[in-house]
Amino acid sequence: MTEIITSETPEDKEIILGDDSSNQAISFKLAQAFYNEITGKSERVTEDFNPSFILTMDNISQLHHRIIQSTTQYNVQSANASFSVEYVNDSSERFSSIERFMAHAGSKGQPVEEVAISYNLLVVLPQTHKPQEYRINILLASRSAKVEGMKEQIDVIPFSIPLWQFESKFTCRASVDFVDITVANSFMSVIKNWIDCLEVTSMNPVLKWVRPTSKYLPLIGQYSLLAIGAYFTNQHVSSYFENPEPTTTASFVLIAFLFNFLLFKFGRFIGYKSERHLDSIYQLSYIDFSGADRRLATESSSSVKKNIVKSIAYILFSITVALVSNELSKQIFIS
C-alpha cells in the first residue's frame, strides 16, 4: 500500500539545501534557477523509444496540441516551434509552424525518412522572476525507409546482416533541455503518453522467435545433407567389400567422396540462402504522409512476405533434396 507522509514543517518554510544551520532557506527550485543564472548551463534528459509505428500527419498535429496544452500550467513568455522533414533522396524541408507543415510536408513526392520537431520555450516559474529556456526536441524515424535504403549496399556483402536487429534501434528519440527537472519530466510524460497512442504494426510471434536462429541454417544444411549422404554410403559399403577388387574399391571411394562432398556444399548453399532471406524479414515501421510513403510501405511489406516464402521454400527444398539423394544414391551405388 502506498502512503502519503506529510511533514510537520510549517507551510511557509522552505527546504534548506546544504548545512542545516544555514540562516536562510533556499528551495530546490531556486537553487536550480541560481545554477542556471550563474553558469549559463542547463541539463538534458533523453529517452529512446522503438515502437513499430505507422506515423501520420494527424499524429504530429495531436502531439503538437498536447505539448501546447501542457504549457498552459506555466507562465510562458515566448514559444516557437519548427518542423523539419528529411526525405530518402537526401533533400529536406523546414517549416516554422504546424499549419505550414500540415499543408506542405506531404507534397514532395518522396518517402519521408525522418521528422524532427523542436520547441523553444521561455518559462517563468513560481518563485523565479527571470524566464528560463526549455528546449524540446523530438526525432521520428521511418525504419522501413532506412532499411530499404540500405538494401542495395547490404546485398553485395558476402555475409548476411540480420535486418531485424534494426528493430532495437530507436524510431523516436525525445530530449528536453531544462532548468527545472519537474518541468522536464512533465514534458517527457506528454511525449510518452502520445507514443503509447500510436498505431503499431504486428508480426507473427513464431517468426520473431525463429529469426535469431538463422545463423545456424548453413551449418544445419551442410551437416544434415552430409549425414544423409554418409548414411546411404554406409548402407552400400558391405555390397562393395564382400569381394573387394582394386578397381571396384577405387570407383566406390571416388563416387562416395564426390557424392558426399556435393551434398555438403549443396546443403551449405541452401542453408545460406535460407539465412539471407530469413535475415531480411523485419517488422515494418514507417511514416505515412503521402502516396510515396504508402508506396514504400507496400513495397517493403511485399518484400518481407517474399522473403518469408523464399525462406520456407529453401528449407522445404533441402528436405526434398534429402529424399532425392536417397534414390540417387541407390542408382549410383547399385550401378
Side-chain angles (χ1 to χ4, degrees):
M1 182 177 69
T2 303
E3 296 183 356
I4 300 176
I5 302 175
T6 58
S7 72
E8 300 297 331
T9 306
E11 293 183 359
D12 60 346
K13 187 174 182 180
E14 297 291 346
I15 298 173
I16 296 175
L17 299 182
D19 192 353
D20 291 341
S21 63
S22 175
N23 293 325
Q24 185 177 1
I26 302 176
S27 70
F28 184 67
K29 190 184 297 294
L30 284 175
Q32 292 182 110
F34 290 157
Y35 173 80
N36 176 254
E37 177 70 20
I38 295 170
T39 65
K41 296 180 180 179
S42 60
E43 304 296 329
R44 170 176 292 184
V45 58
T46 302
E47 289 200 39
D48 289 350
F49 310 90
N50 63 344
S52 299
F53 56 58
I54 302 174
L55 186 71
T56 65
M57 282 192 176
D58 288 338
N59 297 140
I60 301 294
S61 178
Q62 184 185 50
L63 172 63
H64 176 74
H65 291 303
R66 285 193 181 196
I67 291 179
I68 296 301
Q69 185 178 17
S70 69
T71 63
T72 57
Q73 60 184 311
Y74 306 114
N75 180 9
V76 179
Q77 298 294 304
S78 174
N80 64 76
S82 65
F83 303 81
S84 299
V85 182
E86 185 174 336
Y87 301 94
V88 295
N89 63 349
D90 294 330
S91 63
S92 62
E93 292 180 319
R94 187 175 182 276
F95 307 98
S96 58
S97 67
I98 186 66
E99 291 77 18
R100 292 181 62 83
F101 169 80
M102 297 290 290
H104 302 291
S107 60
K108 186 72 173 179
Q110 292 289 338
V112 176
E113 186 170 313
E114 289 183 351
V115 177
I117 307 172
S118 179
Y119 294 90
N120 290 327
L121 309 170
L122 285 178
V123 180
V124 180
L125 297 179
Q127 302 176 359
T128 63
H129 302 286
K130 183 177 180 180
Q132 300 170 351
E133 184 177 17
Y134 291 82
R135 292 194 183 99
I136 305 172
N137 296 295
I138 305 166
L139 179 63
L140 301 156
S142 170
R143 181 188 301 147
S144 296
K146 289 182 176 293
V147 169
E148 294 300 322
M150 292 187 299
K151 274 190 174 180
E152 291 185 4
Q153 290 79 15
I154 291 175
D155 288 341
V156 299
I157 297 176
F159 53 87
S160 182
I161 296 179
L163 297 182
W164 50 265
Q165 289 186 351
F166 290 99
E167 293 174 12
S168 63
K169 303 297 182 182
F170 75 89
T171 50
C172 176
R173 171 172 288 169
S175 67
V176 181
D177 293 344
F178 65 90
V179 177
D180 191 301
I181 184 61
T182 305
V183 179
N185 287 337
S186 175
F187 289 138
M188 192 62 73
S189 177
V190 170
I191 297 170
K192 289 180 182 178
N193 292 334
W194 172 76
I195 291 174
D196 291 338
C197 296
L198 293 177
E199 180 184 358
V200 296
T201 61
S202 60
M203 176 170 282
N204 191 306
V206 175
L207 190 59
K208 279 190 173 183
W209 177 80
V210 169
R211 292 180 305 174
T213 65
S214 63
K215 59 185 178 182
Y216 301 111
L217 289 177
L219 292 175
I220 293 173
Q222 65 186 20
Y223 289 115
S224 295
L225 290 187
L226 179 61
I228 292 171
Y231 171 78
F232 291 130
T233 301
N234 186 63
Q235 292 292 99
H236 298 282
V237 168
S238 58
S239 61
Y240 275 87
F241 287 92
E242 286 180 355
N243 299 306
E245 295 181 3
T247 304
T248 304
T249 302
S251 297
F252 175 81
V253 171
L254 179 62
I255 293 174
F257 176 79
L258 180 61
F259 176 72
N260 286 284
F261 177 77
L262 290 176
L263 284 180
F264 177 85
K265 298 294 287 185
F266 195 63
R268 182 172 181 79
F269 171 77
I270 293 175
Y272 171 74
K273 297 295 287 186
S274 300
E275 178 191 20
R276 295 281 293 206
H277 290 295
L278 197 58
D279 284 345
S280 297
I281 300 170
Y282 68 96
Q283 190 167 356
L284 301 182
S285 177
Y286 58 93
I287 297 171
D288 184 6
F289 285 176
S290 66
D293 295 310
R294 288 186 285 275
R295 184 168 59 252
L296 175 66
T298 301
E299 292 173 356
S300 300
S301 178
S302 177
S303 176
V304 168
K305 291 177 181 178
K306 286 180 181 178
N307 283 311
I308 293 174
V309 172
K310 288 181 180 180
S311 181
I312 296 174
Y314 273 110
I315 293 173
L316 295 177
F317 183 56
S318 65
I319 297 174
T320 304
V321 169
L323 297 175
V324 172
S325 299
N326 180 18
E327 299 300 323
L328 183 62
S329 65
K330 291 178 181 178
Q331 298 297 325
I332 292 176
F333 293 125
I334 292 174
S335 61

